[in-house]
Amino acid sequence: MLLEVQNLTKIFTSGLIGGYQVRAVDNVTFSIKEGEIVSLVGESGSGKTTIGKLILRLIKPTSGKILFKGEDIWSFDKDKLMNYYYKNVQAVFQDPFASFNPLYKVDRVFDLVFRTFLKNVSDVEKDELVRRALESVGLNPREILGKFPHQLSGGQLQRILIARALLVEPSLLIADEAVSMLDASTRIDVLNLLGEFRDNHGTSVIFITHDLALGYYISDKIIIMYRGSIVEWGDTEKVFDNPLHPYTKMLLESVPDLNVKWEFKGIEPEREEGKVWELKGCKFAPRCSLAKDKCWKIRPEPVEVEKNHWVACHLYGGS
Ligand SMILES: Nc1ncnc2c1ncn2[C@@H]1O[C@H](COP(=O)(O)OP(=O)(O)OP(=O)(O)O)[C@@H](O)[C@H]1O
Ligand code: SF4
Ligand SMILES: [Mg+2]
């Protein structure tokens, strides 16, 4: 197994004296095989980016473990950590502007990769590698190289970052809303590129998105998150063909339809923060029309309803 996330929990404490706590990731368990593309889907604040950051070792879990090729990532010494960061795991985040220094030409983002990993590559070969990497994400190197970040669009900057991440040929790519700012046709090109890259290099991808359609398009497995917890996961086709959790159904029903116009449908159910986090039972109960007494009292355990399709909801058994 490439990556195993075991009972991962991250609690953030905000505010100074008597601050409040946010259970951003709550007892999350999943694993990713070599060459697998797994989508993490959920609404804003459901903990997707926090999971990405935990896997990248940018923040420490409150409890639980992350094993990479069987080794706890927090047990890595300096060398293993360097290797983990640059060779094994690469990430592309939503906001490309944060990754570029406005004072330097965009070419500079490739320097670190060459300094760290491709030390023995000649200048001519480096230029060729960068050129090919840029072309693979649909960019014309002549229009990109030598430019400053403010001279390029967000979509172009994002594709440069994707090109850089893939240049390393990582074992795992974490793409956190990485295609959200691309226009529709470029987005499909980049998704196809990720798929091809997986096929050619065996790279696994954690594809973080709000967009169910993108998750469906690209992934082998899908994980649906709600308020820090996984509520349903499994083979993408199974989850889409037979969505079981009331939240997954709600997400699928709320995908905009081309021939339906937006209309106000009334006030949302109770979603007050502290209250929901403190719930003993199912976190979705305040929004669930099917909530029973038991739902408010007992947190549903995941149940395998068919092979490779799990759901955590009392409607499908479990404790
Ligand atoms: N450093 C932090 N300190 C305090 N709370 C945080 C911190 N980072 C995230 N959170 C909280 O943790 C929860 C999960 O945040 P996260 O960014 O992981 O969500 P997300 O699913 O990526 O959302 P989005 O789709 O908007 O990017 C949110 O309630 C967020 O406010
Ligand atoms: S456990 Fe109960 S409240 Fe939660 S989603 Fe299932 S039916 Fe709804
Ligand atoms: Mg996020």
Side-chain angles (χ1 to χ4, degrees):
M1 201 55 81
L2 184 73
L3 186 86
E4 289 164 84
V5 170
Q6 298 177 341
N7 306 104
L8 194 66
T9 294
K10 177 68 191 175
I11 298 173
F12 289 112
T13 304
S14 301
L16 291 170
I17 304 155
Y20 66 95
Q21 293 193 326
V22 177
R23 201 175 272 273
V25 177
D26 191 2
N27 198 22
V28 161
T29 297
F30 66 92
S31 56
I32 298 181
K33 291 189 211 143
E34 272 90 2
E36 205 165 47
I37 302 185
V38 176
S39 285
L40 267 186
V41 181
E43 62 193 17
S44 189
S46 56
K48 307 179 299 292
T49 295
T50 306
I51 291 183
K53 287 184 179 166
L54 287 161
I55 294 170
L56 286 164
R57 240 192 82 155
L58 298 176
I59 49 175
K60 206 165 184 175
T62 307
S63 58
K65 270 188 190 163
I66 297 168
L67 307 184
F68 188 80
K69 295 184 179 168
E71 276 188 84
D72 185 341
I73 61 168
W74 281 94
S75 73
F76 289 166
D77 59 17
K78 207 170 148 230
D79 284 349
K80 274 197 178 156
L81 189 60
M82 282 301 280
N83 204 39
Y84 182 63
Y85 276 148
Y86 295 112
K87 191 68 201 150
N88 284 310
V89 181
Q90 287 283 314
V92 184
F93 291 100
Q94 181 166 20
D95 176 17
F97 297 99
S99 302
F100 288 89
N101 184 328
L103 301 177
Y104 293 105
K105 290 176 181 164
V106 293
D107 317 29
R108 200 165 184 264
V109 294
F110 292 102
D111 288 354
L112 185 66
V113 173
F114 288 119
R115 262 189 278 128
T116 321
F117 276 103
L118 303 163
K119 285 181 200 146
N120 302 322
V121 173
S122 72
D123 284 350
V124 177
E125 280 174 293
K126 275 183 204 167
D127 289 348
E128 178 59 17
L129 279 172
V130 169
R131 201 181 54 74
R132 267 196 278 140
L134 291 173
E135 281 171 354
S136 74
V137 290
L139 292 172
N140 179 346
R142 268 181 300 160
E143 285 173 16
I144 299 295
L145 298 172
K147 294 269 171 65
F148 287 94
H150 72 269
Q151 296 175 300
L152 298 174
S153 72
Q156 286 172 317
L157 295 177
Q158 188 66 309
R159 279 184 283 164
I160 296 174
L161 295 175
I162 293 170
R164 178 185 67 171
L166 297 181
L167 193 64
V168 176
E169 296 180 9
S171 316
L172 176 66
L173 176 73
I174 300 177
D176 186 354
E177 302 285 0
V179 298
S180 356
M181 77 186 301
L182 304 180
D183 57 75
S185 67
T186 317
R187 192 182 290 159
I188 288 299
D189 287 346
V190 171
L191 290 183
N192 289 337
L193 172 78
L194 293 183
E196 279 165 31
F197 206 82
R198 182 272 302 274
D199 291 350
N200 296 333
H201 301 279
T203 296
S204 306
V205 181
I206 297 183
F207 186 77
I208 296 176
T209 183
H210 292 94
D211 191 330
L212 278 170
L214 296 183
Y216 181 73
Y217 184 78
I218 188 76
S219 57
D220 305 305
K221 295 228 169 88
I222 196 144
I223 295 174
I224 311 283
M225 297 214 37
Y226 185 73
R227 302 223 154 198
S229 301
I230 298 179
V231 294
E232 184 161 2
W233 72 102
D235 294 342
T236 302
E237 272 74 24
K238 289 184 181 159
V239 174
F240 275 84
D241 290 349
N242 182 22
L244 297 172
H245 196 282
Y247 177 61
T248 316
K249 289 184 186 177
M250 195 192 88
L251 276 183
L252 282 167
E253 278 158 15
S254 57
V255 171
D257 201 325
L258 272 188
N259 49 29
V260 177
K261 292 279 281 178
W262 179 84
E263 71 179 286
F264 183 61
K265 295 225 175 78
I267 299 160
E268 274 222 324
E270 177 72 75
R271 292 181 61 184
E272 198 202 322
E273 290 285 316
K275 208 169 173 183
V276 173
W277 291 124
E278 297 314 318
L279 275 178
K280 269 211 237 137
C282 173
K283 290 179 188 175
F284 193 61
R287 292 169 79 180
C288 185
S289 58
L290 301 170
K292 299 174 283 189
D293 208 27
K294 181 181 181 183
C295 302
W296 293 92
K297 293 183 184 143
I298 302 166
R299 179 79 40 95
E301 292 289 331
V303 177
E304 191 169 21
V305 280
E306 58 182 322
K307 196 167 182 318
N308 294 333
H309 184 181
W310 295 72
V311 63
C313 167
H314 289 309
L315 294 175
Y316 306 95
S319 61

